[in-house]
Amino acid sequence: LFLSPFIVHAGSWMKYFETAPDGTNILCRIENFLPYHALSRGLVRGKITQAISELMGEESILYKEKINFKLPGAKGFPPHQDAPAYITFGMDYHVTCMIAADAATMDNGCLEVVPHGPELGMLPHPGGCLPQEMVDEWDRNNKWVPITCESGEVVFFNSLVPHRSRDNMSSTASRSIYYLTYNRLRDGDHRDNYYADKRKRFPPANEQEEGKDYSDGAAIYNLATPIPVKSKASASS
């Protein structure tokens, strides 16, 4: 049920939509789905958590989960690091496991990364994205590396890796990617608090209050996505 774009439930899984080129709303992302899907809960047990802990050099715990959908015509995600979106609870280190449910290709907008980026630390994000001059320089010097994947393959990256994805230019294939993000266990279990705060400050459209401005919450919880935001201007119009 939670995978269907037509079924939304206030207070449960969180579905976010984007606007397609033809003006229709299409499913962009689902978050907070693990409590409602036993099969997905199996993803965070065993080997994935063990692998994350080995990469961190210590025990880890799930911080958040999401599925990004790149349906035909869907927009890409602008260049960014995840770290600025993960500062709410005072932590400075996260590792994400990306699982390709469908094949990720250049045509349907696979992930692209700058491998040396973490050496630069947390970078400025004016307007929620990496500075355009920095992105342009990386483009000129061929620093962006596409991460193409077959269905079932996994990729690990930390929250300081600059990454982006392009529009889905394919006409038939859809793409869905699981992202499981972990923090160090010694930094605490913040998953429930994360979703409680996100639901309050940037809830899904079906839970948003008419006329309320969500731009402040979006500055943290909607960093570099194609998901539209109700700003002060739109709330007052």
Side-chain angles (χ1 to χ4, degrees), residues 34-218:
L34 288 182
Y36 312 99
H37 195 247
L39 181 61
S40 293
R41 287 199 297 275
L43 293 173
V44 303
R45 301 193 185 102
K47 290 185 178 180
I48 290 180
T49 299
Q50 180 181 348
I52 294 278
S53 297
E54 289 177 3
L55 289 169
M56 286 186 163
E58 57 185 284
E59 288 188 82
S60 63
I61 189 169
L62 185 71
Y63 181 56
K64 59 170 289 187
E65 75 276 357
K66 67 186 178 188
I67 304 173
N68 281 353
F69 295 84
K70 266 295 185 62
L71 302 175
K75 299 182 181 68
F77 287 67
H80 65 284
Q81 296 171 307
D82 288 338
Y86 298 163
I87 61 174
T88 307
F89 302 102
M91 296 178 290
D92 60 3
Y93 186 57
H94 298 78
V95 173
T96 292
C97 174
M98 183 190 87
I99 307 170
D102 302 316
T105 68
M106 291 295 291
D107 285 341
N108 64 18
C110 68
L111 192 74
E112 300 176 27
V113 304
V114 177
H116 77 278
E119 301 170 7
L120 304 175
M122 190 184 299
L123 298 166
H125 283 67
C129 305
L130 288 168
Q132 191 59 50
E133 59 272 18
M134 180 180 294
V135 174
D136 291 342
E137 180 183 353
W138 288 341
D139 277 322
R140 286 192 299 269
N141 293 292
N142 298 314
K143 297 296 185 181
W144 291 100
V145 176
I147 307 297
T148 58
C149 297
E150 296 298 326
S151 175
E153 291 187 327
V154 300
V155 176
F156 297 92
F157 60 96
N158 70 33
S159 53
L160 293 175
V161 174
H163 56 284
R164 69 182 180 187
S165 66
R166 301 178 190 271
D167 298 353
N168 183 354
M169 304 302 293
S170 64
S171 59
T172 56
S174 62
R175 179 169 78 93
S176 60
I177 302 290
Y178 285 75
Y179 290 91
L180 306 174
T181 298
Y182 289 72
N183 61 267
R184 293 173 292 210
L185 179 61
R186 62 183 166 93
D187 289 334
D189 181 353
H190 298 286
R191 183 191 172 280
D192 289 347
N193 289 334
Y194 173 88
Y195 282 119
D197 193 57
K198 179 167 186 172
R199 192 181 296 278
K200 177 181 178 181
R201 301 173 67 181
F202 188 65
N206 65 299
E207 298 181 32
Q208 293 183 8
E209 298 177 24
E210 188 66 31
K212 186 172 181 178
D213 177 14
Y214 290 98
S215 56
D216 288 344

